[in-house]
Amino acid sequence: MEELIRMGEKARAAAAVMGRLGINEKNRGLEAAAQALLDSAEDIIRANEQDMENGRKKGMPEGLLDRLKLDKKRIASMAEGLTQVASLDDPVGEVLSMKKRPNGLLIGQKRVPLGVIGIIYESRPNVTADAFGLCFKAGNAAILKGGSDAICSNKAIASCLRTALESCGLPADAVQLVESTDRETAREMMRMNRYIDVLIPRGGAGLIRTVVENSTVPVIETGTGNCHIFVDESADLDMAVNIIFNAKTQRIGVCNACESLVIHKKIADRLMPALAERLSEKHVEIRGDETVCGLLKEAVPASPEDWGTEYLDYIISAKTVDSIDEAIAHINRYNTKHSEAIITENYANAQKFLDEIDAAAVYVNASTRFTDGFEFGFGAEIGISTQKLHARGPMGLLALTTTKYIIYGNGQVRP
Amino acid sequence: MEELIRMGEKARAAAAVMGRLGINEKNRGLEAAAQALLDSAEDIIRANEQDMENGRKKGMPEGLLDRLKLDKKRIASMAEGLTQVASLDDPVGEVLSMKKRPNGLLIGQKRVPLGVIGIIYESRPNVTADAFGLCFKAGNAAILKGGSDAICSNKAIASCLRTALESCGLPADAVQLVESTDRETAREMMRMNRYIDVLIPRGGAGLIRTVVENSTVPVIETGTGNCHIFVDESADLDMAVNIIFNAKTQRIGVCNACESLVIHKKIADRLMPALAERLSEKHVEIRGDETVCGLLKEAVPASPEDWGTEYLDYIISAKTVDSIDEAIAHINRYNTKHSEAIITENYANAQKFLDEIDAAAVYVNASTRFTDGFEFGFGAEIGISTQKLHARGPMGLLALTTTKYIIYGNGQVRP
């Protein structure tokens, strides 16, 4: 705990300096960090080999080993990420509004950094550089806690970033890595309200739940996506098949992939055979209600749990409904407030769906896979918020800022 | 717990209806609620007399009994509050931006209600009507949990509001009062993530700490204010005396009152005698550092704890510094991120203070007492946020909303 408090104090001091930096100084730091990653690639790869060896000894599955692995190409891609962040506008300093009150006070709202951001993440070591870059560009100090699997890689990356900052006269403590990887340290970090302004967990559902349940520091929940596509009675069926195929299969293990279909009964018999044929190209299993199973002999009967399940796999559930109201009620009951789409040619139904679905991103006639900071044009992404406070949906640099009121007076007192 | 879950489900259902209401329907509900409070004044006063009697039996101090008391005038003022909220613009529905992406997707960000807001508060029963009014106008359902001291009054007020909503065909469950007043129920409410989108504690430091430490539901922390005024070397001393007198004494028990002075050493000998004389009008005790005590024989030596204390009383601490940098460092160390002011005639120092002080509201040449939703021109206030997520400073109706992305496509899929 003492070690964490020392880190908190150093982060506060670094954040105070960071808040005063202009865009040129911050970009110089990012460019230096990018170059340092390239220059230290061999050291980082050596550290990463240690993690890989430990992983193999522990019997880590191939998929996880692949996520953990760093090579020259992946390190170049981390460096490229930092350079891209350097190219973005400075999110802080803008005065969003400034109004004169009747008593002459001029009250403005100015965008400022959040201060100290804690990030708790799992095995992918590239998060160390990515999270640093975004926090840094927004003028924050970051305290990073990665998983034990990647600790050697994370230490090598963090040390490289810190040295780069120091070499340009910028505060190295703008990025600090918590070296202890035990759970107790993570829990202590979640209670450092005095030193950490916001905590962002990045990883699987288990990690996020642990942080939400244990943190007294305000959390931005980046969440799971049980995303639906509703095919309305009036849908263009080719478009529906195309969008569903994309949203389900273009990438399987991601939060904005489609997991569940809601189909208007009046078009189910025309849609389902064509859709099933297309999905069979990728061997997608369809778990359907009675109507769907009646139409498709290959469909598997869905259990009630299917409606609430984020498969992250080549499986999709399908439920039929009698009306758009029933579709909206079903989606609002089972969704995780992430991304939902309607396929329709009907103007009123499109607007109704946009109005009444409770989710971070609601689509008409497009794939849910677009919920992403880059696709939204933010040039960066720290995660996708599924909570309603502060940031909702893809979070770019602005989500890493807050505001303060600045008030210009000339002696006003309150009567 | 079952009772709370039932309330949560009813609140979710009411919130879905609320989200679809237009401003006229919401205002009709607010006006009906205001009229109902006036019409039921006698019933409410009778219920309040029960609370007052219970309070007297328990030996409640006069100050608290006064906060608890309702009479016709105070009920009229609650009703007037609802009418004022009705006169405000609808905060929801506005599309804040809408941009076309290169792939033709039209991506907009629309302001929508938060959903279900939980408010946990202490003895003042007027919060029942005030909090309802703001949550309702922003399109939310509210679950209110007041203190045991005011339970009879709160029940009478909530029942009156619910009947009024029902009578206009609006969902009564847009306002629900938790009738159990024990702590266990409060703790269960703090873990209702499935049903409550945000929890706002309103009350003393103890209540707020309990909510921050125990809630898994996202919290907006409305906090204490250890507010400072820094008198710079170049200050207009008459203005300084006037502002300090106002910020300290205009109202004593509030979070935006000034609790601590920071004085540039070069003007301490000219400022302190005049200031002490003015503050003596209200018998304000000055707790000073060595320099201050050397200048004022009536000053009491400050202990280190004084720098971090929110007195809410006729006491003020005073520390001298050699420079504005020392002043800023001192304030950023001891403040509660609420409201801070500089008195100066120096342009560069004014800007430096505005830039470097970490607080929700930073003033030049004005009293800290202006940090208030009404004074800021919001027409309402649900509290003053001292956290950095979501809302910072005085919170009006906008703080009770969130956004969602709405995306118009014509068949786009992700390549």
Side-chain angles (χ1 to χ4, degrees), chain A residues 265 268 272 287-297 299-303 307 318-320:
Chain A
K265 278 200 180 130
M272 291 316 291
R287 298 194 184 166
D289 66 4
E290 215 173 308
T291 307
V292 168
C293 290
L295 290 167
L296 297 176
K297 64 176 188 318
V300 176
S303 71
W307 310 134
K319 181 187 167 59
T320 53

PDB file of all heavy atoms in Angstrom, chain A residues 265 268 272 287-297 299-303 307 318-320:
ATOM      1  N   LYS A 265     -42.411 -11.631 -37.544  1.00  0.00           N
ATOM      2  CA  LYS A 265     -42.984 -12.916 -37.995  1.00  0.00           C
ATOM      3  C   LYS A 265     -43.402 -12.891 -39.459  1.00  0.00           C
ATOM      4  O   LYS A 265     -43.327 -13.895 -40.156  1.00  0.00           O
ATOM      5  CB  LYS A 265     -44.180 -13.303 -37.126  1.00  0.00           C
ATOM      6  CG  LYS A 265     -43.736 -13.972 -35.824  1.00  0.00           C
ATOM      7  CD  LYS A 265     -44.820 -14.790 -35.149  1.00  0.00           C
ATOM      8  CE  LYS A 265     -44.246 -15.407 -33.865  1.00  0.00           C
ATOM      9  NZ  LYS A 265     -45.088 -15.180 -32.688  1.00  0.00           N
ATOM     10  N   ALA A 268     -40.399 -13.758 -41.576  1.00  0.00           N
ATOM     11  CA  ALA A 268     -39.496 -14.831 -41.127  1.00  0.00           C
ATOM     12  C   ALA A 268     -39.355 -15.919 -42.190  1.00  0.00           C
ATOM     13  O   ALA A 268     -38.247 -16.405 -42.450  1.00  0.00           O
ATOM     14  CB  ALA A 268     -39.993 -15.423 -39.813  1.00  0.00           C
ATOM     15  N   MET A 272     -35.479 -16.291 -43.326  1.00  0.00           N
ATOM     16  CA  MET A 272     -34.651 -17.285 -42.622  1.00  0.00           C
ATOM     17  C   MET A 272     -33.895 -18.248 -43.547  1.00  0.00           C
ATOM     18  O   MET A 272     -32.700 -18.491 -43.306  1.00  0.00           O
ATOM     19  CB  MET A 272     -35.482 -18.053 -41.577  1.00  0.00           C
ATOM     20  CG  MET A 272     -35.908 -17.200 -40.378  1.00  0.00           C
ATOM     21  SD  MET A 272     -34.633 -16.103 -39.650  1.00  0.00           S
ATOM     22  CE  MET A 272     -33.495 -17.281 -38.919  1.00  0.00           C
ATOM     23  N   ARG A 287     -29.659 -20.592 -32.968  1.00  0.00           N
ATOM     24  CA  ARG A 287     -30.503 -21.091 -31.880  1.00  0.00           C
ATOM     25  C   ARG A 287     -31.807 -20.312 -31.922  1.00  0.00           C
ATOM     26  O   ARG A 287     -31.837 -19.118 -31.603  1.00  0.00           O
ATOM     27  CB  ARG A 287     -29.807 -20.907 -30.538  1.00  0.00           C
ATOM     28  CG  ARG A 287     -28.507 -21.698 -30.474  1.00  0.00           C
ATOM     29  CD  ARG A 287     -27.960 -21.821 -29.079  1.00  0.00           C
ATOM     30  NE  ARG A 287     -26.669 -22.506 -29.121  1.00  0.00           N
ATOM     31  CZ  ARG A 287     -25.809 -22.537 -28.113  1.00  0.00           C
ATOM     32  NH1 ARG A 287     -26.087 -21.919 -26.979  1.00  0.00           N
ATOM     33  NH2 ARG A 287     -24.675 -23.196 -28.224  1.00  0.00           N
ATOM     34  N   GLY A 288     -32.881 -20.975 -32.309  1.00  0.00           N
ATOM     35  CA  GLY A 288     -34.108 -20.238 -32.585  1.00  0.00           C
ATOM     36  C   GLY A 288     -35.272 -20.582 -31.677  1.00  0.00           C
ATOM     37  O   GLY A 288     -35.248 -21.579 -30.952  1.00  0.00           O
ATOM     38  N   ASP A 289     -36.286 -19.715 -31.715  1.00  0.00           N
ATOM     39  CA  ASP A 289     -37.521 -20.042 -31.002  1.00  0.00           C
ATOM     40  C   ASP A 289     -38.324 -21.026 -31.861  1.00  0.00           C
ATOM     41  O   ASP A 289     -37.852 -21.480 -32.916  1.00  0.00           O
ATOM     42  CB  ASP A 289     -38.311 -18.773 -30.658  1.00  0.00           C
ATOM     43  CG  ASP A 289     -38.830 -18.046 -31.897  1.00  0.00           C
ATOM     44  OD1 ASP A 289     -38.644 -18.548 -33.032  1.00  0.00           O
ATOM     45  OD2 ASP A 289     -39.423 -16.966 -31.730  1.00  0.00           O
ATOM     46  N   GLU A 290     -39.545 -21.350 -31.446  1.00  0.00           N
ATOM     47  CA  GLU A 290     -40.322 -22.380 -32.121  1.00  0.00           C
ATOM     48  C   GLU A 290     -40.541 -22.054 -33.597  1.00  0.00           C
ATOM     49  O   GLU A 290     -40.378 -22.916 -34.470  1.00  0.00           O
ATOM     50  CB  GLU A 290     -41.669 -22.517 -31.415  1.00  0.00           C
ATOM     51  CG  GLU A 290     -42.184 -23.943 -31.380  1.00  0.00           C
ATOM     52  CD  GLU A 290     -43.441 -24.025 -30.511  1.00  0.00           C
ATOM     53  OE1 GLU A 290     -43.379 -23.553 -29.352  1.00  0.00           O
ATOM     54  OE2 GLU A 290     -44.463 -24.498 -31.020  1.00  0.00           O
ATOM     55  N   THR A 291     -40.872 -20.788 -33.879  1.00  0.00           N
ATOM     56  CA  THR A 291     -41.122 -20.398 -35.265  1.00  0.00           C
ATOM     57  C   THR A 291     -39.876 -20.588 -36.125  1.00  0.00           C
ATOM     58  O   THR A 291     -39.935 -21.129 -37.230  1.00  0.00           O
ATOM     59  CB  THR A 291     -41.568 -18.914 -35.330  1.00  0.00           C
ATOM     60  OG1 THR A 291     -42.661 -18.739 -34.430  1.00  0.00           O
ATOM     61  CG2 THR A 291     -41.983 -18.514 -36.723  1.00  0.00           C
ATOM     62  N   VAL A 292     -38.748 -20.135 -35.610  1.00  0.00           N
ATOM     63  CA  VAL A 292     -37.498 -20.273 -36.372  1.00  0.00           C
ATOM     64  C   VAL A 292     -37.176 -21.745 -36.591  1.00  0.00           C
ATOM     65  O   VAL A 292     -36.828 -22.156 -37.712  1.00  0.00           O
ATOM     66  CB  VAL A 292     -36.333 -19.556 -35.634  1.00  0.00           C
ATOM     67  CG1 VAL A 292     -34.984 -19.920 -36.249  1.00  0.00           C
ATOM     68  CG2 VAL A 292     -36.552 -18.038 -35.668  1.00  0.00           C
ATOM     69  N   CYS A 293     -37.312 -22.551 -35.557  1.00  0.00           N
ATOM     70  CA  CYS A 293     -37.000 -23.979 -35.694  1.00  0.00           C
ATOM     71  C   CYS A 293     -37.970 -24.658 -36.659  1.00  0.00           C
ATOM     72  O   CYS A 293     -37.603 -25.603 -37.366  1.00  0.00           O
ATOM     73  CB  CYS A 293     -37.016 -24.674 -34.338  1.00  0.00           C
ATOM     74  SG  CYS A 293     -35.614 -24.168 -33.307  1.00  0.00           S
ATOM     75  N   GLY A 294     -39.216 -24.138 -36.733  1.00  0.00           N
ATOM     76  CA  GLY A 294     -40.171 -24.673 -37.695  1.00  0.00           C
ATOM     77  C   GLY A 294     -39.763 -24.376 -39.134  1.00  0.00           C
ATOM     78  O   GLY A 294     -40.057 -25.143 -40.055  1.00  0.00           O
ATOM     79  N   LEU A 295     -39.068 -23.250 -39.315  1.00  0.00           N
ATOM     80  CA  LEU A 295     -38.675 -22.834 -40.667  1.00  0.00           C
ATOM     81  C   LEU A 295     -37.346 -23.442 -41.101  1.00  0.00           C
ATOM     82  O   LEU A 295     -37.094 -23.588 -42.298  1.00  0.00           O
ATOM     83  CB  LEU A 295     -38.559 -21.305 -40.721  1.00  0.00           C
ATOM     84  CG  LEU A 295     -39.877 -20.515 -40.628  1.00  0.00           C
ATOM     85  CD1 LEU A 295     -39.595 -19.041 -40.373  1.00  0.00           C
ATOM     86  CD2 LEU A 295     -40.688 -20.700 -41.911  1.00  0.00           C
ATOM     87  N   LEU A 296     -36.471 -23.720 -40.130  1.00  0.00           N
ATOM     88  CA  LEU A 296     -35.121 -24.191 -40.468  1.00  0.00           C
ATOM     89  C   LEU A 296     -34.860 -25.507 -39.760  1.00  0.00           C
ATOM     90  O   LEU A 296     -34.782 -25.549 -38.531  1.00  0.00           O
ATOM     91  CB  LEU A 296     -34.071 -23.183 -39.963  1.00  0.00           C
ATOM     92  CG  LEU A 296     -34.065 -21.774 -40.519  1.00  0.00           C
ATOM     93  CD1 LEU A 296     -33.002 -20.957 -39.796  1.00  0.00           C
ATOM     94  CD2 LEU A 296     -33.800 -21.792 -42.020  1.00  0.00           C
ATOM     95  N   LYS A 297     -34.638 -26.545 -40.540  1.00  0.00           N
ATOM     96  CA  LYS A 297     -34.415 -27.832 -39.860  1.00  0.00           C
ATOM     97  C   LYS A 297     -33.061 -27.851 -39.156  1.00  0.00           C
ATOM     98  O   LYS A 297     -32.852 -28.550 -38.179  1.00  0.00           O
ATOM     99  CB  LYS A 297     -34.574 -29.004 -40.835  1.00  0.00           C
ATOM    100  CG  LYS A 297     -33.565 -29.043 -41.972  1.00  0.00           C
ATOM    101  CD  LYS A 297     -33.764 -30.290 -42.811  1.00  0.00           C
ATOM    102  CE  LYS A 297     -32.629 -30.459 -43.835  1.00  0.00           C
ATOM    103  NZ  LYS A 297     -32.190 -29.239 -44.536  1.00  0.00           N
ATOM    104  N   ALA A 299     -31.788 -25.413 -37.409  1.00  0.00           N
ATOM    105  CA  ALA A 299     -31.766 -24.579 -36.203  1.00  0.00           C
ATOM    106  C   ALA A 299     -31.891 -25.442 -34.948  1.00  0.00           C
ATOM    107  O   ALA A 299     -32.533 -26.490 -34.964  1.00  0.00           O
ATOM    108  CB  ALA A 299     -32.897 -23.558 -36.239  1.00  0.00           C
ATOM    109  N   VAL A 300     -31.225 -24.953 -33.868  1.00  0.00           N
ATOM    110  CA  VAL A 300     -31.249 -25.636 -32.572  1.00  0.00           C
ATOM    111  C   VAL A 300     -32.240 -24.866 -31.691  1.00  0.00           C
ATOM    112  O   VAL A 300     -32.239 -23.636 -31.716  1.00  0.00           O
ATOM    113  CB  VAL A 300     -29.833 -25.560 -31.952  1.00  0.00           C
ATOM    114  CG1 VAL A 300     -29.810 -26.168 -30.568  1.00  0.00           C
ATOM    115  CG2 VAL A 300     -28.825 -26.228 -32.880  1.00  0.00           C
ATOM    116  N   PRO A 301     -33.098 -25.526 -30.914  1.00  0.00           N
ATOM    117  CA  PRO A 301     -34.022 -24.777 -30.055  1.00  0.00           C
ATOM    118  C   PRO A 301     -33.263 -23.934 -29.022  1.00  0.00           C
ATOM    119  O   PRO A 301     -32.339 -24.432 -28.380  1.00  0.00           O
ATOM    120  CB  PRO A 301     -34.843 -25.876 -29.361  1.00  0.00           C
ATOM    121  CG  PRO A 301     -34.643 -27.101 -30.171  1.00  0.00           C
ATOM    122  CD  PRO A 301     -33.299 -26.993 -30.810  1.00  0.00           C
ATOM    123  N   ALA A 302     -33.649 -22.678 -28.904  1.00  0.00           N
ATOM    124  CA  ALA A 302     -33.008 -21.780 -27.949  1.00  0.00           C
ATOM    125  C   ALA A 302     -33.581 -22.013 -26.558  1.00  0.00           C
ATOM    126  O   ALA A 302     -34.778 -22.252 -26.409  1.00  0.00           O
ATOM    127  CB  ALA A 302     -33.227 -20.327 -28.362  1.00  0.00           C
ATOM    128  N   SER A 303     -32.710 -21.934 -25.536  1.00  0.00           N
ATOM    129  CA  SER A 303     -33.205 -21.967 -24.156  1.00  0.00           C
ATOM    130  C   SER A 303     -33.350 -20.507 -23.713  1.00  0.00           C
ATOM    131  O   SER A 303     -32.790 -19.606 -24.341  1.00  0.00           O
ATOM    132  CB  SER A 303     -32.200 -22.689 -23.275  1.00  0.00           C
ATOM    133  OG  SER A 303     -31.052 -21.874 -23.111  1.00  0.00           O
ATOM    134  N   TRP A 307     -31.200 -15.876 -24.810  1.00  0.00           N
ATOM    135  CA  TRP A 307     -31.513 -14.468 -25.111  1.00  0.00           C
ATOM    136  C   TRP A 307     -30.548 -13.503 -24.444  1.00  0.00           C
ATOM    137  O   TRP A 307     -30.322 -12.403 -24.939  1.00  0.00           O
ATOM    138  CB  TRP A 307     -32.946 -14.113 -24.732  1.00  0.00           C
ATOM    139  CG  TRP A 307     -33.991 -15.059 -25.259  1.00  0.00           C
ATOM    140  CD1 TRP A 307     -35.037 -15.587 -24.558  1.00  0.00           C
ATOM    141  CD2 TRP A 307     -34.118 -15.581 -26.598  1.00  0.00           C
ATOM    142  NE1 TRP A 307     -35.786 -16.420 -25.370  1.00  0.00           N
ATOM    143  CE2 TRP A 307     -35.251 -16.427 -26.619  1.00  0.00           C
ATOM    144  CE3 TRP A 307     -33.370 -15.429 -27.773  1.00  0.00           C
ATOM    145  CZ2 TRP A 307     -35.667 -17.103 -27.764  1.00  0.00           C
ATOM    146  CZ3 TRP A 307     -33.784 -16.115 -28.917  1.00  0.00           C
ATOM    147  CH2 TRP A 307     -34.912 -16.932 -28.913  1.00  0.00           C
ATOM    148  N   ALA A 318     -32.070 -16.448 -32.372  1.00  0.00           N
ATOM    149  CA  ALA A 318     -33.055 -15.793 -33.236  1.00  0.00           C
ATOM    150  C   ALA A 318     -34.440 -15.973 -32.645  1.00  0.00           C
ATOM    151  O   ALA A 318     -34.881 -17.086 -32.373  1.00  0.00           O
ATOM    152  CB  ALA A 318     -33.000 -16.390 -34.645  1.00  0.00           C
ATOM    153  N   LYS A 319     -35.104 -14.837 -32.434  1.00  0.00           N
ATOM    154  CA  LYS A 319     -36.443 -14.855 -31.848  1.00  0.00           C
ATOM    155  C   LYS A 319     -37.383 -14.121 -32.794  1.00  0.00           C
ATOM    156  O   LYS A 319     -37.016 -13.108 -33.367  1.00  0.00           O
ATOM    157  CB  LYS A 319     -36.400 -14.126 -30.500  1.00  0.00           C
ATOM    158  CG  LYS A 319     -37.747 -14.101 -29.794  1.00  0.00           C
ATOM    159  CD  LYS A 319     -37.693 -13.233 -28.554  1.00  0.00           C
ATOM    160  CE  LYS A 319     -39.109 -12.960 -28.065  1.00  0.00           C
ATOM    161  NZ  LYS A 319     -39.858 -14.197 -27.747  1.00  0.00           N
ATOM    162  N   THR A 320     -38.594 -14.634 -32.961  1.00  0.00           N
ATOM    163  CA  THR A 320     -39.564 -13.929 -33.809  1.00  0.00           C
ATOM    164  C   THR A 320     -40.532 -13.140 -32.936  1.00  0.00           C
ATOM    165  O   THR A 320     -40.797 -13.500 -31.780  1.00  0.00           O
ATOM    166  CB  THR A 320     -40.345 -14.927 -34.682  1.00  0.00           C
ATOM    167  OG1 THR A 320     -40.899 -15.937 -33.843  1.00  0.00           O
ATOM    168  CG2 THR A 320     -39.445 -15.567 -35.715  1.00  0.00           C
TER     169      THR A 320
END
